Amino acid sequence: MRLLKVATCSLNQWAMDFDCNSKQIKESIAKAKEAGAAVRLGPELEIPGYGCEDHFLELDTVNHSWECLKDLLLGDWTDGILCSFGMPIIKGSERYNCQVLCLNGKIIMIRPKMCLANDGNYRELRWFTAWKQKDQLMDFQLPLEISQALGQKSVPFGYGFMKFQDTAIAAEVCEELFTPDPPHSELALNGVEVIMNASGSHHQLRKLDVRVHALIGATHTRGGVYMYSNQQGCDGSRLYYDGCACVVVNGDVVAQGSQFSLKDVEVVVAQIDLDVVASLRGSLSSFQEQASCKTKVPSVEVPYSLCLPFNLKICLSLPLKIKYHTPEEEIAFGPGCWLWDYLRRSGASGFLLPLSGGADSSSVAAIVGCMCQLVVKEIANGDEQVKADAIRIGNYKDGEYPTDSREFAKRIFYTVYMGSENSSEMTKLRAKLLADEIGSWHLDVSIDVVVSAFLSLFQTLTGKRPRYKVDGGSNVENLSLQNIQARIRMVLAFMLASLLPWVHSKPGFYLVLGSSNVDEALRGYLTKYDCSAADINPIGSISKQDLRVFLRWAATHLGFSSLADIEAAPPTAELEPIRSNYSQLDEVDMGMTYEELSVYGRLRKIFRCGPVSMFQNLCYRWSARLTPSQVAEKVKHFFKYYSINRHKMTVLTPSYHAESYSPEDNRFDLRQFLYNARWPYQFRKIDEIVSELDVKGAKDYAVHDTVTATSNGVGGMGVASAGSGNPKAGF
């Protein structure tokens, strides 16, 4: 037997905070050593933090990374343990995203990333160069200060692996796992038994299974040990890195870390018998055949043994059942953990939420309530860092700390119902009940006097007073009267967030939380600079459909039973007067359902459809209930309002990224914000296709009707024409 104990980490790094990052790297090494591990793997770019973005272009970022690496190597941190550290390195005039492989105070080799992530939220080609020279390892001259400190002038640099006395180990960096021709395939044929993948992968709803299946697939058909490390937490942007460090052996997951956690450092350890890798590979005829004629990968000889011999006191890690969270749990825990990181790192003392009693703002309130529950649970489990942060944020005195989530919420969470003459008693009551269940400090405010003051000022200036549509006003008047209410709420929310802590003799300020969902953003069904224009938004890229399912789940699993009634209520902005024959409803206002919006969003972004291709796709999808003409009108209606309102995305509140069809303008969905909203060419093409289908449908109907009539006359069956009354029944 060759017994190898490995440790892979999830670290909550913070971009550009080198002190914090180095401290947590050291803590992870200490935990790995304490567990007896011979190999320690950390996340991608863990020294500066993955999310530095354009800071990677600064020489300071590279220099500080070298300084932190020197500190790690001059201490005893790498003594007796192979460590992989992620950092940017400049070679010549090119900047590379690298894994630096170290042992016993020396650098063994530097492995630059060969395939860069450059889609979705990722822009690695903006900051790094992909390494393309796979045939040889090059000499890399270490910076003078590092060289003198370590007693090393140069190290091997490039694509290759480390050949120890008892095994072979190589690095694979994040995106390379998901490429059509991944390095681990070639490395396995060269005898590499352990692959270390340092990753910076963000959370997205329903995404984890894709990642885990890729890890399993990497070793299922070719054998091997696959170590996966990931960042965990909010490192300073819209993304939440969802950890889930794993160890996979021959296609079986033998160790898995948490996906959502408040821990800053999590180390996952596995004890492996490497002989099972050799045994499996030796039994696969196809592996043997391909290994015999493989392309040779360069290697570095390391005169050191990592494995232990057979020992009955050592327990091997066995295959386990993979832990997946439901989408409802992901909505609760992902944004909840993200909010906690943002709160404790921003210097704020809490959150303020305009709580309308509707589904969206109630979802945000429930997520904050979940965050409070997670904090209290982690403190009960002995997490001293969470405890220290909670004491500071909650302004606890004399050794007190949170033991009850509702009491903690009362200290850090304000909810404000900002009603008007158009608000109903039901939404007011729902907001109050939910606030009581969560424990927030709840306020009930009427904005009518402020709205009236604005309208009186306008009337003084112009001599006119706008009216709602139900009272005989125009669309322009109606929209303006709705917008002024929403914008007053925004101003009031920020005023309360800055002054309420002062009123209650609390230090700091409160962050204003937004509550617009991804579908409303896509359609532009929100007022620019309304009460959703906030500091951050935990549901900004979550669909209405998913939020409603989440509310039903949270009513039971989070203990907020009032959410069931909130979810059952029809969505309404309550910005127009309620009459006996009229009640404002979101889907009526938008001219489309939330379900339809989700379909439009996925086709637009994920499947990259313009108006014409979206129309063609939906003709197939909706053929059972809509004619091509009806589909065309729906597609045109969507693109008209999408393009009219696209400018709102430029000021969209920074939102937790959770959905791949997010229209978020700044980082994810890079499209213009000034459109020709008539889409003349595209809409004309749709009309032409509809006309062709109408003509074809009429001809098919005529032929079918003739055949049926003949059949009836000859056979005497008396069967009516299937096309009668609806010449487009075939669509």
Side-chain angles (χ1 to χ4, degrees):
M1 272 189 170
R2 293 173 295 142
L3 302 180
L4 178 66
K5 182 170 278 191
V6 299
T8 180
C9 312
S10 291
L11 303 183
N12 195 334
Q13 305 297 76
W14 190 5
M16 301 301 292
D17 189 344
F18 291 93
D19 284 339
C20 165
N21 297 347
S22 294
K23 174 180 173 291
Q24 291 176 176
I25 290 170
K26 290 174 180 178
E27 185 179 340
S28 71
I29 297 172
K31 288 186 175 182
K33 284 186 173 182
E34 184 180 354
V39 180
R40 177 267 179 197
L41 171 66
E44 183 178 13
L45 294 167
E46 62 182 315
I47 291 178
Y50 182 81
C52 294
E53 299 188 324
D54 279 5
H55 284 294
F56 284 126
L57 303 178
E58 300 168 4
L59 291 178
D60 279 4
T61 305
V62 179
N63 293 337
H64 296 335
S65 297
W66 276 115
E67 290 160 1
C68 292
L69 179 66
K70 183 181 76 170
D71 178 56
L72 288 165
L73 293 173
L74 291 182
D76 61 356
W77 298 104
T78 62
D79 289 358
I81 185 169
L82 173 66
C83 291
S84 177
F85 302 118
M87 61 179 278
I89 289 177
I90 294 176
K91 183 181 188 300
S93 58
E94 304 96 43
R95 185 183 295 99
Y96 294 99
N97 175 350
C98 297
Q99 288 302 119
V100 184
L101 302 154
C102 306
L103 175 68
N104 293 330
K106 302 291 183 182
I107 300 173
I108 298 174
M109 67 174 289
I110 297 173
R111 164 67 153 84
K113 191 172 182 178
M114 299 188 296
C115 298
L116 300 178
N118 210 60
D119 56 0
N121 284 293
Y122 299 104
R123 301 285 181 275
E124 289 184 9
L125 277 172
R126 181 180 175 95
W127 311 303
F128 301 111
T129 300
W131 182 258
K132 296 299 183 185
Q133 302 179 55
K134 297 179 64 175
D135 57 337
Q136 62 178 326
L137 287 167
M138 297 186 174
D139 256 3
F140 174 74
Q141 188 71 38
L142 291 172
L144 182 60
E145 185 180 349
I146 305 298
S147 175
Q148 291 175 343
L150 302 183
Q152 280 185 282
K153 289 185 178 180
S154 63
V155 296
F157 187 102
Y159 170 58
F161 65 93
M162 298 166 290
K163 194 178 290 184
F164 290 87
Q165 292 176 338
D166 45 9
T167 187
I169 299 179
E172 187 170 68
V173 191
C174 196
E175 179 73 9
E176 294 171 356
L177 167 65
F178 302 97
T179 56
D181 184 18
H184 63 251
S185 178
E186 186 176 57
L187 290 166
L189 295 174
N190 275 266
V192 173
E193 295 178 307
V194 180
I195 303 288
M196 301 187 295
N197 187 308
S199 185
S201 183
H202 69 276
H203 171 242
Q204 202 164 274
L205 294 180
R206 306 173 181 88
K207 175 186 172 185
L208 180 61
D209 62 330
V210 175
R211 187 192 305 160
V212 172
H213 279 106
L215 299 174
I216 291 172
T219 62
H220 179 70
T221 58
R222 58 185 67 86
V225 176
Y226 204 98
M227 299 170 60
Y228 175 82
S229 175
N230 193 19
Q231 183 159 315
Q232 188 166 43
C234 166
D235 77 342
S237 73
R238 295 157 171 79
L239 303 182
Y240 176 81
Y241 299 93
D242 58 336
C244 201
C246 294
V247 179
V248 182
V249 180
N250 290 354
D252 291 319
V253 176
V254 299
Q256 178 186 3
S258 66
Q259 188 179 7
F260 307 109
S261 173
L262 301 186
K263 292 184 176 70
D264 284 338
V265 177
E266 183 175 12
V267 178
V268 176
V269 178
Q271 181 72 65
I272 301 150
D273 174 16
L274 289 181
D275 282 354
V276 302
V277 176
S279 176
L280 176 63
R281 289 177 175 177
S283 69
L284 299 173
S285 177
S286 58
F287 185 92
Q288 297 287 304
E289 289 294 323
Q290 292 185 358
S292 67
C293 57
K294 62 184 177 292
T295 300
K296 188 174 180 180
V297 176
S299 62
V300 177
E301 296 281 346
V302 186
Y304 190 84
S305 296
L306 295 171
C307 301
L308 296 174
F310 173 73
N311 187 335
L312 280 177
K313 293 182 179 180
I314 297 176
C315 296
L316 296 178
S317 299
L318 301 175
L320 50 81
K321 183 179 180 181
I322 303 168
K323 168 65 176 177
Y324 290 114
H325 289 283
T326 64
E328 303 90 85
E329 291 173 327
E330 290 185 277
I331 292 171
F333 302 143
C337 292
W338 181 77
L339 284 177
W340 176 246
D341 276 347
Y342 203 101
L343 177 61
R344 70 192 181 107
R345 288 173 170 171
S346 66
S349 301
F351 298 117
L352 183 139
L353 171 68
L355 181 59
S356 69
D360 294 331
S361 61
S362 297
S363 295
V364 174
I367 289 169
V368 176
C370 177
M371 182 203 79
C372 294
Q373 293 177 5
L374 290 173
V375 168
V376 170
K377 182 179 178 181
E378 281 301 315
I379 292 173
N381 290 337
D383 193 310
E384 291 299 321
Q385 184 60 58
V386 173
K387 183 178 179 180
D389 287 331
I391 289 172
R392 173 179 53 83
I393 294 168
N395 199 29
Y396 286 89
K397 306 294 184 183
D398 302 325
E400 294 180 346
Y401 58 88
T403 57
D404 178 78
S405 63
R406 294 183 75 253
E407 185 275 334
F408 185 53
K410 182 73 73 175
R411 289 173 174 262
I412 68 153
F413 189 30
Y414 285 114
T415 51
V416 188
Y417 181 82
M418 293 185 276
S420 73
E421 61 182 359
N422 302 320
S423 303
S424 68
E425 285 298 317
M426 286 305 300
T427 54
K428 179 178 177 180
L429 177 60
R430 290 178 192 131
K432 178 67 167 64
L433 288 174
L434 179 59
D436 288 344
E437 289 173 344
I438 293 169
S440 66
W441 190 296
H442 188 66
L443 298 173
D444 183 357
V445 180
S446 173
I447 63 170
D448 286 333
V449 63
V450 187
V451 174
S452 179
F454 269 92
L455 294 180
S456 296
L457 175 61
F458 180 82
Q459 188 172 10
T460 301
L461 291 172
T462 66
K464 292 188 175 183
R465 193 177 185 93
R467 294 178 297 169
Y468 289 102
K469 193 171 183 179
V470 294
D471 296 328
S474 64
N475 284 330
V476 172
E477 294 170 75
N478 194 61
L479 188 58
S480 295
L481 286 170
Q482 293 184 69
N483 287 349
I484 191 62
Q485 296 171 71
R487 288 173 175 146
I488 284 170
R489 286 169 175 157
M490 179 202 73
V491 175
L492 181 58
F494 276 99
M495 181 179 180
L496 291 172
S498 62
L499 289 179
L500 280 177
W502 167 72
V503 170
H504 293 120
S505 301
K506 295 180 179 180
F509 61 96
Y510 277 52
L511 294 165
V512 178
L513 297 180
S515 57
S516 60
N517 62 64
V518 68
D519 298 321
E520 290 171 346
L522 177 66
R523 164 61 170 73
Y525 187 65
L526 56 98
T527 302
K528 204 172 187 179
Y529 310 116
D530 70 352
C531 61
S532 286
D535 290 311
I536 51 175
N537 181 357
I539 66 165
S541 70
I542 302 176
S543 74
K544 192 79 164 188
Q545 302 295 96
D546 281 336
L547 287 175
R548 301 195 76 155
V549 176
F550 163 71
L551 288 173
R552 293 195 293 270
W553 174 88
T556 301
H557 293 84
L558 296 181
F560 309 144
S561 58
S562 63
L563 292 174
D565 289 336
I566 291 170
E567 187 278 328
T572 173
E574 291 196 333
L575 293 171
E576 294 183 71
I578 300 172
R579 297 286 188 266
S580 59
N581 62 344
Y582 178 76
S583 181
Q584 185 180 23
L585 296 173
D586 287 358
E587 292 183 333
V588 175
D589 277 359
M590 292 190 298
M592 59 191 74
T593 66
Y594 281 108
E595 184 178 358
E596 288 171 344
L597 258 177
S598 290
V599 175
Y600 298 144
R602 286 180 168 84
L603 287 174
R604 183 197 71 97
K605 179 66 179 176
I606 301 173
F607 295 96
R608 296 166 292 280
C609 287
V612 176
S613 54
M614 183 182 291
F615 161 73
Q616 292 170 325
N617 271 275
L618 291 177
C619 278
Y620 287 107
R621 294 188 184 212
W622 292 345
S623 61
R625 61 185 182 89
L626 296 174
T627 66
S629 295
Q630 292 170 322
V631 173
E633 289 308 308
K634 283 183 174 290
V635 170
K636 290 178 185 178
H637 185 72
F638 164 71
F639 272 100
K640 173 186 174 181
Y641 283 98
Y642 157 75
S643 54
I644 286 173
N645 292 304
R646 178 67 188 175
H647 65 96
K648 295 179 183 179
M649 295 304 95
T650 64
V651 295
L652 191 71
T653 296
S655 303
Y656 179 96
H657 179 87
E659 182 59 79
S660 55
Y661 73 88
S662 169
E664 191 269 310
D665 172 80
N666 188 262
R667 306 291 172 90
F668 183 68
D669 188 30
L670 306 182
R671 302 174 194 234
Q672 71 270 36
F673 56 85
L674 179 60
Y675 283 88
N676 184 341
R678 298 190 306 275
W679 297 81
Y681 185 88
Q682 293 90 336
F683 286 3
R684 187 169 68 250
K685 292 289 292 184
I686 291 175
D687 290 339
E688 290 171 2
I689 296 171
V690 170
S691 296
E692 291 173 6
L693 291 172
D694 283 344
V695 171
K696 184 178 183 298
K699 288 180 179 178
D700 289 346
Y701 167 73
V703 172
H704 182 76
D705 195 46
T706 302
V707 171
T708 304
T710 305
S711 176
N712 288 342
V714 174
M717 300 294 290
V719 180
S721 168
S724 60
N726 185 5
K728 294 171 185 163
F731 296 105

